[in-house]
């Protein structure tokens, strides 16, 4: 039996057994909303677009879209680390 | 964690693709089960996993104190060998025979005593003399039995009964300190970043404990009873189809659940998940008892009385109130929800939350029976 549903624009997981008719609206205690972090949204749109272009066979568009989503992700990581003064890992490159 | 509705992501993705949202998502009762809708769902799910795993994003990381085994519950039945964590003594025990409702330890005259009739205190290694068939053993006595090369503890007085006789003996379980991936009442862990003896947010220099990942979770390399864990939440899956009002839906087993979670920490503030609103709501505990403050969200039921006591006793007339709006400012009335754990004697800060569970053992210091017959559980910040 399924445990997850799409309902009113979001995904919900059954927290308890939900009988027929017991929707996330009528019996909210029986369901948990599947969380999608707001700070991921922009990347999700960009990368999802790239993945769908790939599956649609639009390889050129897909490559460009992947590059843009990766750049977006890299910028977000850099921004996050800027506010973290004590990173716990460091990569040292040498010749 | 600030959330975004899935539909927002899907709308924007479809907009970029130049496709019609209504045509893909369906309208009214038709439901969004078309192939294109699934394509978008699967693409968002894959993108979410990539984002989730590529960094220690603060919004999906938590720091919290977690036991290495499930909390003992007086409402549960335990088979011999089952391991539990008993909060009042901050220790691990395992059942030496089938038991239900018998706490692992009892408190009397200022000290805790293991309930040897049903439980043994867990250890990584045991040391005991070889079994002798002429010795009179009493509950709590431990022996080594060379024929099986195992240790046993007596739960019922025995003379001449072999350690393999489960009517008198229970096998001792060697404790492997492993942090499980999932545990009822806690967030499912995706990846562990650090394990420490103390809260790393308050004690920044607290040394990290070494660990390594194993199939059942993360094995801790040194003894730490109740570790603090900084981790990334498990990435949720997006795999559901449109809600079917004629279907029955069942929760996944705990081990598979993405999201099991009444309590979490975020940016130094403890949060409670409100299943009514689907939101995380802050619970703020600070300072001494006179300064304590609590922020609550709508729908969360919290203890607001008694007014003078620092702890509550079973049967005491206490009151709960359901908050009708988010409150994050200092509210002295709510300060009483923060109680020093005087009853258990460990001096830890704690607070009480009403639970819908029934049949709980009110002699457990972490449980109180309320005047209306319901129960409250003591939680620890």
């Amino acid at each position: 039996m399924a445990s997850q549903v799409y309902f009113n624009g979001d995904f919900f997981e059954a927290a308890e057994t939900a009988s027929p008719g017991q929707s996330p609206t009528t019996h909210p205690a029986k369901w948990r909303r599947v969380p999608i972090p707001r700070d991921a949204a922009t990347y999700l749109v960009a990368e999802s677009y790239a993945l769908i272009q790939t599956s649609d066979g639009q390889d050129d568009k897909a490559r460009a879209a992947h590059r843009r989503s990766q750049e977006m992700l890299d910028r977000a990581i850099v921004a996050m680390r800027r506010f973290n003064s004590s990173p716990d890992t460091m990569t040292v490159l040498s010749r | 964690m600030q959330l975004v509705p899935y539909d927002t992501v899907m709308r924007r993705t479809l907009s970029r693709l130049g496709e019609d949202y209504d045509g893909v998502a369906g309208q009214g009762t038709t439901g969004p089960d078309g192939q294109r809708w699934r394509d978008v769902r699967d693409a968002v799910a894959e993108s979410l996993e990539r984002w989730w795993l590529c960094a220690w994003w603060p919004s999906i990381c938590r720091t919290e104190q977690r036991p290495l085994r499930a909390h003992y519950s007086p409402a549960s039945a335990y088979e011999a060998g089952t391991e539990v964590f008993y909060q009042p003594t901050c220790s691990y025990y395992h059942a030496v025979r089938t038991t239900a409702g018998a706490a692992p330890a009892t408190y009397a005259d200022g000290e805790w005593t293991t309930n040897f009739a049903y439980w043994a205190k867990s250890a990584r290694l045991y040391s005991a003399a070889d079994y002798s068939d002429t010795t009179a053993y009493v509950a709590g006595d431990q022996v080594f039995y060379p024929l099986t090369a195992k240790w046993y503890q007596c739960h019922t007085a025995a003379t001449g009964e072999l350690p393999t006789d489960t009517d008198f003996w229970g096998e001792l379980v060697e404790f492997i300190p492993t942090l499980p991936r999932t545990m009822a009442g806690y967030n499912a862990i995706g990846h562990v970043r650090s394990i420490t003896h103390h809260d790393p947010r308050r004690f920044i220099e607290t040394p990290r404990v070494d660990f390594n990942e194993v199939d059942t979770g993360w094995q801790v390399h040194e003894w730490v009873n109740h570790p603090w864990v900084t981790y990334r939440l498990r990435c949720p899956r997006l795999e559901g189809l449109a809600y079917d009002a004629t279907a029955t839906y069942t929760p996944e087993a705990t081990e598979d659940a993405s999201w099991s979670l009444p309590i979490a920490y975020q940016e130094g503030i403890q949060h409670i998940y409100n299943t009514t609103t689907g939101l995380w709501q802050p619970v703020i505990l600070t300072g001494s008892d006179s300064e304590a403050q609590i922020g609550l969200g709508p729908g969360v039921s919290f203890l607001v009385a008694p007014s003078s006591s620092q702890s509550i006793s079973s049967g005491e007339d206490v009151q709960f109130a359901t908050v009708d709006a988010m409150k994050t400012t200092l509210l002295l009335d709510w300060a009483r929800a923060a109680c020093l754990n005087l009853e258990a004697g460990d001096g830890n800060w704690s607070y009480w939350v009403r639970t819908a569970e029934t049949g709980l053992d009110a002699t457990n210091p972490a449980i109180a029976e309320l005047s209306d017959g319901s129960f409250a559980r003591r939680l620890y910040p």
Side-chain angles (χ1 to χ4, degrees):
Chain A
M1 281 183 279
S3 65
Q4 191 185 90
V5 299
Y6 173 76
F7 184 81
N8 281 356
D10 259 316
F11 288 92
F12 293 84
E13 284 181 357
E16 301 173 26
T17 298
S19 301
Q22 296 183 331
S23 75
T25 299
T26 61
H27 293 75
K30 294 196 169 190
W31 297 91
R32 286 188 287 260
R33 182 181 171 191
V34 177
I36 300 179
R38 181 173 296 280
D39 45 351
T42 304
Y43 171 77
L44 295 185
V45 172
E47 182 62 9
S48 298
Y49 168 78
L51 289 169
I52 292 170
Q53 293 286 20
T54 301
S55 63
D56 287 350
Q58 303 288 326
D59 292 343
D60 291 342
K61 287 184 178 178
R63 269 193 294 275
H66 275 304
R67 191 166 54 247
R68 282 195 293 274
S69 65
Q70 187 60 49
E71 289 169 356
M72 183 183 299
L73 193 59
D74 291 343
R75 283 197 299 274
I77 292 173
V78 169
M80 179 185 69
R81 289 181 177 163
R82 192 176 297 149
F83 294 103
N84 183 359
S85 63
S86 56
D88 60 353
T89 59
M90 180 182 296
T91 301
V92 177
L93 300 175
S94 61
R95 291 170 185 264
Chain B
M1 183 194 305
Q2 296 284 317
L3 303 183
V4 61
Y6 170 79
D7 252 18
T8 299
V9 176
M10 186 173 74
R11 279 178 186 276
R12 289 169 57 188
T13 303
L14 289 169
S15 172
R16 185 169 292 192
L17 288 164
E19 297 183 23
D20 176 36
Y21 170 84
D22 291 339
V24 174
Q27 289 293 295
T29 58
T30 57
D33 283 344
Q35 184 57 50
R36 195 56 164 170
W37 182 87
R38 295 185 195 210
D39 290 344
V40 177
R41 178 200 64 185
D42 294 346
V44 174
E46 186 174 339
S47 305
L48 181 62
E49 187 170 11
R50 290 184 185 190
W51 178 87
W52 202 275
L53 299 179
C54 76
W56 294 101
W57 304 107
S59 61
I60 57 170
C61 290
R62 301 285 183 270
T63 294
E64 63 192 20
Q65 195 173 25
R66 299 171 68 117
L68 304 179
R69 298 291 186 274
H71 285 270
Y72 164 75
S73 167
S76 298
Y78 296 100
E79 296 295 321
T82 306
E83 299 172 307
V84 298
F85 177 70
Y86 192 48
Q87 175 83 55
T89 60
C90 197
S91 297
Y92 297 90
Y93 301 84
H94 58 275
V96 288
R97 60 168 159 164
T98 302
T99 178
T106 54
Y107 184 73
D109 299 329
E111 63 181 44
W112 290 91
T113 305
T114 301
N115 186 352
F116 293 122
Y118 297 95
W119 298 92
K121 199 164 186 177
S122 297
R124 287 188 287 188
L125 192 63
Y126 297 94
S127 176
D130 286 359
Y131 167 76
S132 163
D133 59 5
T134 60
T135 302
Y137 293 102
V138 298
D141 286 346
Q142 297 182 350
V143 298
F144 179 74
Y145 191 42
L147 284 183
T148 59
K150 293 176 178 174
W151 285 269
Y152 297 84
Q153 180 173 297
C154 177
H155 59 68
T156 301
T159 305
E161 287 82 8
L162 293 177
T164 51
D165 186 340
T166 55
D167 288 341
F168 298 89
W169 299 88
E171 185 179 330
L172 291 170
V173 178
E174 291 166 344
F175 187 78
I176 299 174
T178 304
L179 177 72
R181 297 175 193 280
T182 58
M183 190 185 297
Y186 289 87
N187 297 316
I189 297 177
H191 298 88
V192 171
R193 189 177 197 187
S194 69
I195 297 177
T196 54
H197 284 274
H198 304 290
D199 183 351
R201 299 165 305 177
R202 290 187 291 145
F203 306 101
I204 197 83
E205 301 298 332
T206 186
R208 296 183 176 199
V209 176
D210 288 340
F211 61 89
N212 64 284
E213 191 165 3
V214 294
D215 60 339
T216 54
W218 292 267
Q219 194 169 325
V220 184
H221 291 187
E222 65 181 86
W223 186 266
V224 46
N225 263 12
H226 201 184
W228 285 85
V229 185
T230 298
Y231 63 94
R232 177 161 50 211
L233 295 166
R234 179 180 288 186
C235 181
R237 298 182 295 268
L238 303 178
E239 59 190 10
L241 296 175
Y243 173 70
D244 178 356
T246 66
T248 297
Y249 293 94
T250 55
E252 289 188 325
T254 305
E255 178 56 34
D256 298 325
S258 303
W259 232 225
S260 54
L261 25 125
I263 302 168
Y265 293 79
Q266 183 177 358
E267 296 167 356
I269 298 173
Q270 186 163 12
H271 281 58
I272 281 186
Y273 184 73
N274 186 322
T275 54
T276 302
T277 63
L279 298 174
W280 288 93
Q281 294 160 345
V283 177
I284 307 165
L285 299 173
T286 59
S288 64
D289 54 352
S290 62
E291 298 169 336
Q293 54 177 299
I294 292 184
L296 297 173
V300 175
S301 179
F302 253 71
L303 177 70
V304 294
S307 60
S308 58
S309 174
Q310 289 295 308
S311 63
I312 61 175
S313 304
S314 295
E316 189 169 350
D317 186 15
V318 296
Q319 299 169 19
F320 282 78
T322 300
V323 184
D324 56 5
M326 183 69 78
K327 300 178 188 301
T328 54
T329 56
L330 180 64
L331 296 168
L332 287 177
D333 283 345
W334 296 91
R336 296 167 196 142
C339 310
L340 278 175
N341 185 0
L342 301 180
E343 196 171 347
D346 59 11
N348 288 332
W349 281 97
S350 62
Y351 57 92
W352 294 86
V353 179
R354 185 199 291 269
T355 174
E357 296 168 285
T358 58
L360 300 183
D361 177 10
T363 62
N364 184 332
I367 293 171
E369 184 172 3
L370 309 178
S371 56
D372 63 359
S374 63
F375 291 89
R377 275 189 182 279
R378 184 194 297 273
L379 301 178
Y380 296 81

